C-alpha cells in the first residue's frame, strides 16, 4: 500500500451530485457501455425537458415518478430499467429513503435501505457510500477491481478469496475505502467514479 500511496497520493475522491440523480445514473448505466448509458441519460433529460449537458443537471424524483413506462422505454431504457427507475423515484417521493438522516446512519443501515429498491444491489449501494456519501470504511468485496487489485498487489496475481481480501483489508480500517481506491488506481490510474 505504501508504494500505491506514493504513486497516486495526489489524486482525490469527490462526491457526486445529489442522491437521487446519482442512483438514477447508476441504474441507467447498468450492464451497458459508458457511451450507451450517456446517450440514454441525455435522452431522458430531454424527455423531462431538463438541461441536456448530461453532467451537472439534477434529476428530481418527482419529475420521473409520473412518466409513462413507454415514454421511458423510448429513450433507450430496457423494461427492467424502467421498472427500477420508477421504483427508485417512488421510494424517494414517498419518503421511504431517509436522505436527511444518512449522515447519522451506519453504512449497513443505509445499504439495507438502498437494496430495498429494485435494481440496487449491495455493490451499487457500496459504490454510493463511497462516491456519494464519501464513507471512509467501505470494503466492496463484490467489486472485481478490488479483488483483482488485491490479487496483483498482495498475491503476485494469484487468485484471492473474499476471506483473504477481507483479511488484507482489515489492516486498512478504519479507512478501507481509501485502500480500495488506491487498489483501483493501481489497475486504472485515471479515476472514473461511479
Amino acid at each position: 500500500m505504501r508504494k500505491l500511496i506514493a504513486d497516486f497520493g495526489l489524486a482525490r475522491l469527490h462526491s457526486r451530485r445529489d442522491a437521487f440523480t446519482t442512483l438514477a445514473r447508476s441504474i441507467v448505466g447498468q450492464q451497458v457501455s459508458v457511451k450507451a448509458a450517456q446517450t440514454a441519460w441525455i435522452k431522458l433529460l430531454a424527455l423531462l425537458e431538463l438541461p441536456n449537458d448530461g453532467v451537472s443537471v439534477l434529476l428530481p424524483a418527482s419529475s420521473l415518478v409520473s412518466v409513462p413506462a413507454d415514454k421511458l422505454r423510448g429513450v433507450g431504457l430496457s423494461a427492467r430499467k424502467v421498472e427500477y427507475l420508477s421504483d427508485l423515484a417512488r421510494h424517494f417521493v414517498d419518503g421511504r429513503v431517509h436522505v436527511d438522516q444518512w449522515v447519522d446512519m451506519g453504512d449497513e443501515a443505509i445499504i439495507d435501505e438502498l437494496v430495498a429498491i429494485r435494481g440496487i444491489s449491495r455493490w451499487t449501494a457500496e459504490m454510493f457510500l463511497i462516491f456519494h456519501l464519501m464513507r471512509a470504511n467501505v470494503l466492496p468485496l463484490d467489486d472485481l477491481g478490488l479483488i483483482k487489485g488485491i490479487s496483483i498487489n498482495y498475491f503476485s496475481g494469484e487468485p484471492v478469496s473474499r476471506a483473504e481480501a477481507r483479511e488484507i483489508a482489515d489492516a486498512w480500517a478504519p479507512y478501507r475505502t481509501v485502500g480500495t481506491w488506491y487498489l483501483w488506481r493501481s489497475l486504472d490510474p485515471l479515476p472514473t467514479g461511479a
Side-chain angles (χ1 to χ4, degrees):
M1 190 57 64
R2 184 176 298 143
K3 180 183 180 326
L4 296 178
I5 292 170
D7 289 347
F8 303 106
L10 295 178
R12 300 285 183 263
L13 269 175
H14 300 282
S15 182
R16 307 288 186 193
R17 294 171 284 288
D18 78 311
F20 181 78
T21 303
T22 298
L23 291 166
R25 283 194 74 125
S26 293
I27 289 171
V28 169
Q30 289 174 354
Q31 300 180 344
V32 296
S33 70
V34 172
K35 183 177 180 181
Q38 184 66 6
T39 298
W41 184 255
I42 289 171
K43 288 180 179 180
L44 177 61
L45 297 179
L47 173 68
L48 299 173
E49 298 179 358
L50 295 168
N52 247 347
D53 68 5
V55 176
S56 61
V57 66
L58 301 181
L59 177 63
S62 58
S63 68
L64 187 61
V65 77
S66 60
V67 178
D70 62 322
K71 293 213 180 264
L72 292 174
R73 294 266 334 227
V75 303
L77 298 171
S78 68
R80 182 149 305 194
K81 285 186 184 181
V82 168
E83 290 173 24
Y84 294 168
L85 285 172
S86 296
D87 193 47
L88 174 68
R90 280 192 303 277
H91 270 78
F92 272 75
V93 168
D94 296 345
R96 288 184 275 164
V97 290
H98 303 94
V99 178
D100 295 337
Q101 297 172 24
W102 284 344
V103 71
D104 297 318
M105 290 171 62
D107 293 348
E108 288 302 320
I110 296 169
I111 289 170
D112 289 345
E113 198 165 272
L114 291 175
V115 298
I117 301 168
R118 294 191 59 184
I120 297 185
S121 65
R122 180 176 181 87
W123 179 86
T124 301
E126 289 170 337
M127 294 303 108
F128 182 80
L129 289 174
I130 291 171
F131 290 102
H132 182 76
L133 295 178
M134 307 293 290
R135 294 295 177 101
N137 201 29
V138 179
L139 182 66
L141 289 172
D142 293 327
D143 187 78
L144 298 177
L146 170 65
I147 299 300
K148 182 177 180 181
I150 289 174
S151 170
I152 291 169
N153 290 286
Y154 287 88
F155 292 89
S156 301
E158 294 296 317
V160 60
S161 70
R162 289 169 54 101
E164 290 168 320
R166 185 179 289 112
E167 187 176 320
I168 292 292
D170 282 347
W172 310 337
Y175 301 105
R176 293 183 301 175
T177 296
V178 177
T180 298
W181 190 85
Y182 278 113
L183 287 171
W184 286 336
R185 296 293 61 78
S186 76
L187 302 176
D188 183 7
L190 298 174
T192 58

